[in-house]
Amino acid sequence: MPLFTTDGIVIRSLSYGESDKIMTFFTKDFGKIKGIAKGARRSKKRFQNALELFSHIRLTFFDREGAGLMRAEGCDILHSFSGIREDLRKIFYAHYFLELVNEMTGEREAAPETFSLLLSSLSHLGEREPREELLRIFEIRMLSLFGYRPNMKRCHLCKKDWQDLMASPAVFFSVEKGALVCEGCSKGWDHLTPLSLGTARLIEQIALMELSKVHRFRFTGQALQESRALLPKFIVYQLGKELKSFKMLQKAGG
């Protein structure tokens, strides 16, 4: 049975039997993989507390193609993100990142850009105060990576671009179409979310910018309010389900 080594992030952990754990890792080389960690609840030597949620690890595992769960052989902690574990609000943010990755990714589909986004977001969260912008940036980048990037450049119906739309008193976003709808085309449409052109352009910029620069963005109060009303709703529409961690965030005022 082949032995593999890769960097990974622990995104789910479930107790199994008296001493084992069923684990889900999001890895740099293999994407999302699930496996069993034998004796993980008893062994301090092999896993060294590396199976905690959010942990960035070097994972060694055995895998036989078509055999179902891989078998985790050992883990070394690369970064425990202790700064997250000490702050309840940060924990809620991190849970949201993990759940969004778990729900949007398929098993064993390599997605190195998604791995980089998750690692960068956890690192940023661990080192700084939790800001709502971090949630919105993560949502925008995840939608973009998986082919759901909102069309914020022009009206979906009449094709007017930003320059033409600047004369319009208002624009809207259609969750169903994943695109802007100008005021002139909005009549007769239901379930449209009001949106300013400034917020639309901000979302477009964040989707396209280099990951290393994306956390420099600061949202105005209006941009936060509008993106908060739009992005989670659009994600729910695409996934066909609500995320438990987002409900926790709302209750905590996140």
Side-chain angles (χ1 to χ4, degrees), residues 50-220:
L51 299 181
E52 300 285 338
L53 287 181
F54 328 133
S55 294
H56 177 208
I57 62 172
R58 178 67 52 81
L59 170 68
T60 302
F61 65 97
F62 287 104
D63 190 37
R64 190 187 329 174
E65 190 174 351
L69 296 173
M70 62 79 171
R71 193 180 82 205
E73 181 62 16
C75 297
D76 295 316
I77 297 177
L78 300 177
H79 201 309
S80 65
F81 298 117
S82 58
I84 294 177
R85 304 177 197 283
E86 297 166 358
D87 186 309
L88 186 58
R89 191 162 176 238
K90 289 185 179 184
I91 290 172
F92 287 148
Y93 274 48
H95 271 288
Y96 184 56
F97 297 158
L98 299 191
E99 189 177 9
L100 196 53
V101 168
N102 187 52
E103 292 295 338
M104 291 189 74
T105 60
E107 287 192 45
R108 306 204 179 216
E109 297 175 359
E113 288 181 310
T114 305
F115 179 82
S116 295
L117 172 63
L118 179 57
L119 181 59
S120 171
S121 299
L122 290 173
S123 298
H124 195 85
L125 180 62
E127 295 168 359
R128 296 168 178 82
E129 287 299 311
R131 295 183 296 106
E132 187 181 348
E133 285 100 328
L134 192 58
L135 300 176
R136 308 288 82 90
I137 288 169
F138 193 83
E139 291 165 341
I140 293 165
R141 299 293 289 205
M142 284 293 291
L143 287 167
S144 183
L145 285 170
F146 289 92
Y148 302 118
R149 178 159 60 95
N151 176 10
M152 295 295 186
K153 288 186 175 181
R154 58 185 56 85
C155 175
H156 177 74
L157 299 173
C158 69
K159 309 305 180 186
K160 288 181 181 177
D161 61 18
W162 284 333
Q163 187 172 357
D164 295 326
L165 291 174
M166 288 181 70
S168 176
V171 293
F172 302 88
F173 183 79
S174 168
V175 168
E176 181 182 351
K177 299 297 182 182
L180 289 182
V181 176
C182 72
E183 186 180 40
C185 295
S186 67
K187 295 174 176 58
W189 280 62
D190 296 322
H191 311 299
L192 295 178
T193 302
L195 189 67
S196 66
L197 281 179
T199 300
R201 296 183 74 168
L202 180 65
I203 290 172
E204 182 73 10
Q205 286 178 298
I206 290 170
L208 298 175
M209 178 163 280
E210 292 178 22
L211 179 59
S212 61
K213 299 177 181 178
V214 76
H215 293 303
R216 299 176 186 176
F217 275 97
R218 293 293 182 269
F219 288 49
T220 64

Side-chain angles (χ1 to χ4, degrees), residues 12-62:
R12 290 196 76 188
S13 176
L14 296 171
S15 297
Y16 182 73
E18 294 184 0
S19 61
D20 304 337
K21 285 188 175 183
I22 300 295
M23 305 297 304
T24 304
F25 305 97
F26 195 79
T27 68
K28 183 177 180 180
D29 301 303
F30 304 94
K32 184 171 67 178
I33 56 175
K34 294 182 180 180
I36 187 165
K38 290 282 189 181
R41 296 165 65 192
R42 292 179 178 174
S43 173
K44 295 183 179 180
K45 183 177 180 180
R46 286 172 59 210
F47 297 107
Q48 303 176 17
N49 298 321
L51 299 181
E52 300 285 338
L53 287 181
F54 328 133
S55 294
H56 177 208
I57 62 172
R58 178 67 52 81
L59 170 68
T60 302
F61 65 97
F62 287 104

